[in-house]
Amino acid sequence: MTYQAPYKDMQLLVAQAYQQQGLDAIDAMQGFDPELANAVMEEAAKFASGVLAPLNAVGDVQGCRFQGGHSQKGNSQKGKVTTADGWREAYQQFAESGWIGLALPEAFGGQGLPKYIAQPVNEMWLSANLAFVMFQALAQGGAEILLNFANESIQQRYLPKIVTGEWTVAMALTEPNAGSDLGALNTKAIPQSDGTYKIKGQKIYITYGEHDLTDNIAHLVLARTPDAPAGSRGISLFIVPKHRVTDDGTLGDFNDVRCTGIEHKMGLHGSPTCSMSYGDQDDCIGELVGELNQGLMAMFVLMNEARLSCGLQGVALGELGYQRALAYAKERTQGTNNQGEKVAIVEHADVKRMLLEMRSETFALRALGYQIAAQIDASELAIDETKSNQSKKDRIALLTPIFKAFATERANIMAGQVIQVFGGMGFVEETGVAQIMRDARVTTIYEGTTGIQARDLVFRKVRGDQGKALSELLADMTQLVRTFEADAVFAAMAKETQQVITRVTSLLDSHLLNRDRDAASLQAVSVPFLEAMGILCCAWQLFNVLAYQQTEEHIDASYRQNISALSAFYGAYRLPAAMAALKVVENAGLGLSEYEF
Amino acid sequence: MTYQAPYKDMQLLVAQAYQQQGLDAIDAMQGFDPELANAVMEEAAKFASGVLAPLNAVGDVQGCRFQGGHSQKGNSQKGKVTTADGWREAYQQFAESGWIGLALPEAFGGQGLPKYIAQPVNEMWLSANLAFVMFQALAQGGAEILLNFANESIQQRYLPKIVTGEWTVAMALTEPNAGSDLGALNTKAIPQSDGTYKIKGQKIYITYGEHDLTDNIAHLVLARTPDAPAGSRGISLFIVPKHRVTDDGTLGDFNDVRCTGIEHKMGLHGSPTCSMSYGDQDDCIGELVGELNQGLMAMFVLMNEARLSCGLQGVALGELGYQRALAYAKERTQGTNNQGEKVAIVEHADVKRMLLEMRSETFALRALGYQIAAQIDASELAIDETKSNQSKKDRIALLTPIFKAFATERANIMAGQVIQVFGGMGFVEETGVAQIMRDARVTTIYEGTTGIQARDLVFRKVRGDQGKALSELLADMTQLVRTFEADAVFAAMAKETQQVITRVTSLLDSHLLNRDRDAASLQAVSVPFLEAMGILCCAWQLFNVLAYQQTEEHIDASYRQNISALSAFYGAYRLPAAMAALKVVENAGLGLSEYEF
């Protein structure tokens, strides 16, 4: 059983996002319409199902191999990493088909597609083989950093290689004592007379820090120069290739960038997570990217992108899990009906509940993610920086931590439900669904934990602008939801969604913006607040689709009916949890400081 | 870092359960007071921390080895299973110390301790090494089946070996097409002229079905005789030893009981999960246990016991995870405080929240489990079957599915939180906390899935007695909670708990007992109903401990303060989810039947 791209959803939600974000009115979007999107999705779906999905279990079972080996003279390496069987070939095919540069500039060999088209394509990659395709987000993010911050020389030497996939990118941020707190990092960058820097330090958790897929790897390394200020204001960003790059862009000597080991992880076995040593033999050269001591700023650009990509991983794993669970539930019989006939477990009401929880939430989160992607296109491609454009950016900034944390948290819950649908079979590795749960586990941790997303939401995105972006969002939601107030099916759900909005509004005054409340007690309820916002955003997106499909006559009746049913289900089964989470926010701080650990 | 038994909690909750269930007034309990319990716990704690806990990771890493081998003549076997290094020695020590027969009759070599003392001891085993100690519940359950249903000859030959641990017990229920629906099983039992039966069939998922810990294994096998009625009314129970047992109890020939493979599981690697073939060479002899076609009845006795044990696994894994997360959170520094000093992450409010979620719910569920154990003692040891005794049994029957399903579901959530506290380190297998999550995953599946527990709760335990046992429980809760109505700290929590109780009461009439509602829509909300009852039971238990500690002057102030704080935290952070789940119950059926999969 393999992954199939959920076309119908993707086509509907892509077309909807295109229309609702006003992309049809933007000149730069001419030629990039949903029709093109459908053609691209069709090609991507073949590659995802045909090439990537079958390698997913192979990567999980084989993992990556690390060979310590011995240091040899010249440009050889101490630590070699070999990926699973078939990955090297699949990588070449992936790169040659131009998928890596899908949404990167044509000037450097990319296809220059807008993000709203890249979004469903990326979702397919992530469902089909998350561990494999992690280099894709690294290439995308790395290229954007270089486009925004690097000098022309670096751009010319590196970007064409990265965009075409000839080289991969690695992001070297974390150190053993600097995880969420990057300000604590210690890697050194010593200025040389020729304007380059000697890099020296140890990094951990470097995804694809070393591998056998390409001849070179461009490491983006955070480090400190000798006289840099302490903390996060003294961090600079350097590009540090595994093999040096000569002026004409060809490969030079080995650059003293060594992998010292790979992690034995719970999941994502196929993707090497490397410990790296830079400048072990004092021979590691890097070039500064952007301004001195402004490294975190570049990383923040990347981070927003990475967080949205991570939220999409949640959607993708939810979809993959749902497909597996549904197929099994249709096939597996257990028990009999009133006529004494064996029934497939998809007929069991409790199994239906689990399947619809996955189906409805994945659908709503997909809708949210596609809207955000289209909104980024709209905000980037609009010509003048109008007020409404800033509003768009603020909206994206507000939704980013919600989408990242909520989609990944739910993917974890859903992955558990997939195993539950499989019963004992799910606990057996051969079935392949345990992998989804193991893979999903890190998505709530990397690119900023759920706690960090929630803090970002409450303190930067809400408090930071006195609740303006949130209030605008709530007003938009209200306007939409009100149109369902008298709806034959959705009146109750509309009323309850409106109650959640009202509650958030009142908590904004009493708690979130109330400077008399201490930060710790707010922080303790920031994750419940984010959870409530996640559910509310899902309900909002479902209303949005319901409204949209009323205007689209071409949608077939059974699909239309299913969207109504899953929306009603979401309102009945998931929406109540939003009010409960807001009740927790109201209770901020109780019992917390009194307990002595 | 290793497991330490949570003594203070255990001592408090054991003493409380003993007193509140009136065990001090029962003659048969003389000598089995909390003082003895403390002495036993002290010994068990040493064994758990010193011997079992260090082998937990060993079992996870090494797993079990299966050797297919070749069939040889005589009594040899095709399939051998070898457990991890050190397990055989630990088993011998465990058996020789008398732990297996702790709560089994002295007449057969056991120590005859009441269940309320065995409960904390079992919790320790389960925390220290769940995969290892699974044979313990099998021995306990198997012995109880033989005590209740087997003839004297079987009892005399088998019980002394099982109670002392010389042989282990395996339960052979599941077949590939008969999982939750045991009525579909196909294994045959052909009557022989000497009164025995020839057994022939395949079973799967047999825990410790084959291993190298003992010389013999007693399999309790569900099978059908040739003229048995179809479905669950035609199932009989047989005892089928790996090696035959002669009349004097010594080992005879190999009994054609073969392991054909072991599962490659997500967790519980140390415990062999076997596929078994009985009578592959038509030479497998079994003896009937109990009456013909009454096999499921015997299994139901076992199942209730196994479900309570499984709920205790939830508590035990929650405790283990909490200990690991707390130790890490105290040690790991990240970020700085207002004075610029590095702070341990236990000081971060969101980490505190996660720790207290684990701490408060594990504590409350432990309290619930200990009360149930003491109540079983009370119901079994009281001399006459009075009305109040039947009430006790009904109460236990009502609480069993709640305890089983809720404790294990929460253990899964908590295991995820443990990894979240560890961050990236938690995703790395060497840290050891991924194992907790992998191990926990099956606890919501085996011994009846959460869906099956919820169905049992709604249809058998609530509808089955017209809501009598539930109403009595709610009345008891109300009586207790009312005493906190004017409490300085807990008035609000008491009020909200009372609201939950009131809501359950009204749903009892409108939904649970309302015969106009179709079964499928109720079944679809049975898990949310169980979840609400789980949270309510936790709140009830916390009030119970708060009331108890008011009367006990010897409890030290800081511990007393912590129990207050964790109870207040539970009321603020977890109780709201009960109302949300009940709202889902109220919405029963919405969207469910309209969706076409």
Side-chain angles (χ1 to χ4, degrees), chain B residues 95-348:
Chain B
E96 280 162 16
S97 309
W99 292 119
I100 291 174
L102 192 71
L104 289 170
E106 292 176 271
F108 294 103
Q111 300 195 41
L113 291 190
K115 289 202 160 54
Y116 97 93
I117 298 182
Q119 184 81 352
V121 172
N122 288 337
E123 186 195 320
M124 293 181 204
W125 307 148
L126 297 167
S127 283
N129 197 333
L130 172 58
F132 178 82
V133 88
M134 297 186 85
F135 57 73
Q136 156 82 9
L138 290 165
Q140 176 80 26
E144 293 195 11
I145 285 181
L146 297 185
L147 284 165
N148 280 297
F149 299 98
N151 62 37
E152 213 195 306
S153 160
I154 294 177
Q155 288 186 347
Q156 291 302 331
R157 280 175 293 142
Y158 283 90
L159 277 173
K161 308 287 189 181
I162 291 170
V163 171
T164 57
E166 198 172 327
W167 302 344
T168 63
V169 172
M171 298 287 175
L173 288 68
T174 303
E175 299 178 9
N177 289 310
S180 299
D181 178 16
L182 285 173
L185 66 81
N186 264 324
T187 294
K188 295 276 172 288
I190 316 290
Q192 306 295 301
S193 56
D194 64 352
T196 64
Y197 292 78
K198 276 212 168 172
I199 309 293
K200 195 172 177 70
Q202 317 288 324
K203 298 277 180 179
I204 59 170
Y205 300 158
I206 313 303
T207 300
Y208 280 105
E210 173 58 26
H211 58 75
D212 60 350
L213 302 177
T214 56
D215 295 335
N216 205 9
I217 302 169
H219 293 248
L220 287 165
V221 179
L222 289 182
R224 294 181 184 287
T225 51
D227 48 1
S232 58
R233 282 163 310 173
I235 297 175
S236 305
L237 179 66
F238 301 87
I239 189 160
V240 182
K242 174 177 156 187
H243 292 283
R244 290 184 192 149
V245 180
T246 61
D247 287 345
D248 63 1
T250 57
L251 286 194
D253 290 346
F254 176 60
N255 192 33
D256 198 12
V257 171
R258 285 182 174 82
C259 176
T260 55
I262 59 175
E263 303 292 347
H264 174 214
K265 306 187 301 291
M266 183 182 190
L268 295 183
H269 296 162
S271 141
T273 302
C274 304
S275 304
M276 300 297 305
S277 179
Y278 299 91
D280 199 32
Q281 316 219 346
D282 282 326
D283 198 24
C284 178
I285 302 293
E287 289 178 83
L288 182 67
V289 175
E291 303 290 318
L292 260 187
N293 301 329
Q294 301 289 315
L296 280 194
M297 208 177 70
M299 277 299 154
F300 280 134
V301 168
L302 169 69
M303 243 176 238
N304 282 325
E305 179 109 9
R307 287 172 179 185
L308 291 170
S309 161
C310 202
L312 189 61
Q313 293 175 19
V315 174
L317 291 174
E319 175 66 32
L320 177 63
Y322 171 71
Q323 288 191 15
R324 293 276 179 98
L326 178 60
Y328 183 77
K330 283 180 163 179
E331 171 196 304
R332 168 79 172 172
T333 60
Q334 199 74 180
T336 49
N337 62 14
N338 295 337
Q339 284 78 50
E341 301 155 337
K342 286 195 165 192
V343 292
I345 62 171
V346 70
E347 301 298 329
H348 296 191

Side-chain angles (χ1 to χ4, degrees), chain A residues 176 179-181 264 266 332 334-335 349 353 359 416 420 427 429 438 441 444 520 524 562 572-573 587 589 595-596, chain B residues 176 179-181 264 266 332 334-335 349 353 359 416 420 427 429 438 441 444 520 524 562 572-573 587 589 595-596:
Chain A
S180 299
D181 179 15
H264 174 215
M266 184 183 189
R332 169 79 173 173
Q334 199 74 180
R353 173 190 64 83
R359 171 74 180 116
Q420 198 67 21
F427 193 60
E429 284 286 356
R438 290 187 287 92
R441 192 59 200 83
T444 60
N562 268 356
Y573 284 73
N587 292 338
Y595 194 90
E596 291 277 343
Chain B
S180 299
D181 178 16
H264 174 214
M266 183 182 190
R332 168 79 172 172
Q334 199 74 180
R353 173 189 63 82
R359 172 73 180 117
Q420 199 66 22
F427 193 60
E429 283 286 357
R438 291 186 287 93
R441 192 59 200 81
T444 60
N562 269 355
Y573 284 73
N587 292 338
Y595 194 91
E596 291 277 342

Side-chain angles (χ1 to χ4, degrees), chain A residues 66-83:
Chain A
F66 173 73
Q67 289 162 290
H70 288 287
S71 180
Q72 292 155 19
K73 66 183 162 85
N75 66 357
S76 72
Q77 308 152 60
K78 255 185 186 163
K80 266 189 74 169
V81 173
T82 313
T83 55

Side-chain angles (χ1 to χ4, degrees), chain A residues 176-181 205 263-267 322 326 330 332 334-335 346 349-350 352-353 355-356 359 413 416 419-420 423-425 427-430 434 437-438 441-442 444-445 449-451 496 520 523-525 527 561-562 565-566 569 572-573 576 580 583-584 587 589-592 594-597, chain B residues 176-181 205 263-267 322 326 330 332 334-335 346 349-350 352-353 355-356 359 413 416 419-420 423-425 427-430 434 437-438 441-442 444-445 449-451 496 520 523-525 527 561-562 565-566 569 572-573 576 580 583-584 587 589-592 594-597:
Chain A
N177 289 312
S180 299
D181 179 15
Y205 300 158
E263 302 293 346
H264 174 215
K265 307 187 298 292
M266 184 183 189
Y322 170 71
L326 177 60
K330 283 179 162 179
R332 169 79 173 173
Q334 199 74 180
V346 70
D350 184 55
K352 266 191 191 163
R353 173 190 64 83
L355 289 170
L356 273 175
R359 171 74 180 116
I413 297 293
I419 295 180
Q420 198 67 21
M425 295 279 284
F427 193 60
V428 171
E429 284 286 356
E430 279 78 1
M437 186 169 177
R438 290 187 287 92
R441 192 59 200 83
V442 75
T444 60
I445 295 170
T449 63
T450 299
E496 282 157 24
Q523 208 169 313
V525 294
V527 169
Q561 166 64 23
N562 268 356
L566 72 84
F569 177 89
Y573 284 73
K583 175 76 185 159
V584 174
N587 292 338
L590 285 180
L592 200 77
E594 290 80 14
Y595 194 90
E596 291 277 343
F597 288 102
Chain B
N177 289 310
S180 299
D181 178 16
Y205 300 158
E263 303 292 347
H264 174 214
K265 306 187 301 291
M266 183 182 190
Y322 171 71
L326 178 60
K330 283 180 163 179
R332 168 79 172 172
Q334 199 74 180
V346 70
D350 183 56
K352 265 191 191 165
R353 173 189 63 82
L355 290 170
L356 273 174
R359 172 73 180 117
I413 298 292
I419 295 181
Q420 199 66 22
M425 295 279 285
F427 193 60
V428 171
E429 283 286 357
E430 280 78 1
M437 186 169 178
R438 291 186 287 93
R441 192 59 200 81
V442 75
T444 60
I445 295 171
T449 63
T450 298
E496 284 157 23
Q523 209 169 312
V525 295
V527 168
Q561 165 64 23
N562 269 355
L566 71 85
F569 176 89
Y573 284 73
K583 175 75 184 162
V584 174
N587 292 338
L590 285 179
L592 199 78
E594 290 80 13
Y595 194 91
E596 291 277 342
F597 286 102

Side-chain angles (χ1 to χ4, degrees), chain A residues 332-345 347-348, chain B residues 181 184:
Chain A
R332 169 79 173 173
T333 59
Q334 199 74 180
T336 50
N337 62 15
N338 294 337
Q339 285 78 49
E341 301 155 339
K342 284 197 166 190
V343 293
I345 62 170
E347 302 297 328
H348 295 192
Chain B
D181 178 16

